[in-house]
Amino acid sequence: MVRFYGWQRSGGNTLRVTMMTNYLSNAPTFTYTSLKVTQYKSATTANQPGGPGPITVFPNATTTQVHYRNGHLVTSMASGLGVDGFVYPKGLFYQISVAHKSPKLLKQIVVDPGQGVAVQMPSADEDAQGNLGLNWIESSNTEYLSVWVGSQSKKRSSATLAVGL
Amino acid sequence: MNYGFRLGDYSTNVIDPSDGMTFWAANEYIGNDGANDLWLTHITSFTAN
């Protein structure tokens, strides 16, 4: 059994998990499950000291990697949220249980350092105890692209983390 | 400043298989001289505890 993780490139309010069975046969079976998440959409802007500038081709609203740990999928993407009109990308992190037949969204974490701060290139993994480790870069009118890391205990539920600046 | 190019796609955060506790994170950043000090790489390790 192989499980994949999907997304909607231009935005949306679901994440799709694809389970493939019979993958060594001539007729593999794909089972899709859409999980509802907070609405996201491609963002348009990331600033740095020296002036604002639109992101013209940055492919946000996509994920670039997923880890499978402890029966969970852990993944992330940088995408806009409705809180600021989908202008600046924020760090979106997801933990999905695939231990049972139907995938279930366990946790979604938003890293939002504040108004006008763009979060990009997030990545995440899960340790042996189920805690999440987070990694991202952020920038604003007063901050060049900088590397940040954070973590969230297994005991905590979905949250918006106002970390950063 | 107009970002008419890709800002970079690659970062990673992966657990150390030797202990299952230590995260290793790698990402790109820009140094204090934003005009010339571009796309440096930062690698760090941390734990959730």
Side-chain angles (χ1 to χ4, degrees):
Chain A
M1 181 183 304
V2 176
R3 291 185 170 92
F4 297 95
Y5 167 84
W7 66 93
Q8 295 173 286
R9 182 178 176 84
S10 61
N13 61 359
T14 60
L15 298 174
R16 189 171 74 173
V17 177
T18 303
M19 180 175 67
M20 183 171 71
T21 52
N22 301 322
Y23 54 90
L24 295 180
S25 75
N26 292 329
T29 302
F30 297 89
T31 303
Y32 304 103
T33 302
S34 289
L35 303 174
K36 188 164 185 177
V37 299
T38 300
Q39 186 180 12
Y40 59 91
K41 186 178 177 182
S42 293
T44 60
T45 303
N47 298 340
Q48 280 201 105
I55 301 172
T56 56
V57 293
F58 187 68
N60 47 32
T62 64
T63 59
T64 55
Q65 60 182 291
V66 58
H67 290 300
Y68 176 66
R69 311 282 186 207
N70 313 315
H72 303 153
L73 299 177
V74 180
T75 192
S76 60
M77 65 179 174
S79 191
L81 296 175
V83 65
D84 72 348
F86 307 99
V87 175
Y88 292 92
K90 304 299 179 183
L92 310 180
F93 300 86
Y94 304 98
Q95 182 187 45
I96 300 162
S97 172
V98 290
H100 304 289
K101 186 174 181 180
S102 298
K104 179 182 178 184
L105 179 67
L106 296 178
K107 189 182 293 185
Q108 55 180 333
I109 300 170
V110 176
V111 168
D112 182 359
Q115 179 65 35
V117 182
V119 175
Q120 299 180 75
M121 294 198 289
S123 57
D125 201 354
E126 178 177 323
D127 71 14
Q129 277 68 51
N131 306 306
L132 298 180
L134 316 174
N135 170 31
W136 69 93
I137 57 175
E138 64 178 59
S139 70
S140 71
N141 286 336
T142 58
E143 180 185 19
Y144 285 115
L145 281 165
S146 306
V147 178
W148 294 75
V149 297
S151 64
Q152 195 196 44
S153 168
K154 174 185 179 182
K155 299 174 184 176
R156 296 193 61 186
S157 57
S158 298
T160 295
L161 306 179
V163 295
L165 290 174
Chain B
M1 188 176 293
N2 189 334
Y3 300 102
F5 51 88
R6 296 176 81 98
L7 284 174
D9 297 324
Y10 303 109
S11 67
T12 192
N13 191 18
V14 64
I15 201 73
D16 190 327
S18 69
D19 64 6
M21 298 288 291
T22 303
F23 294 99
W24 286 92
N27 216 322
E28 303 175 60
Y29 70 102
I30 291 177
N32 291 329
D33 179 0
N36 300 302
D37 211 8
L38 298 174
W39 298 130
L40 309 174
T41 301
H42 188 91
I43 301 172
T44 191
S45 64
F46 63 101
T47 65
N49 296 321

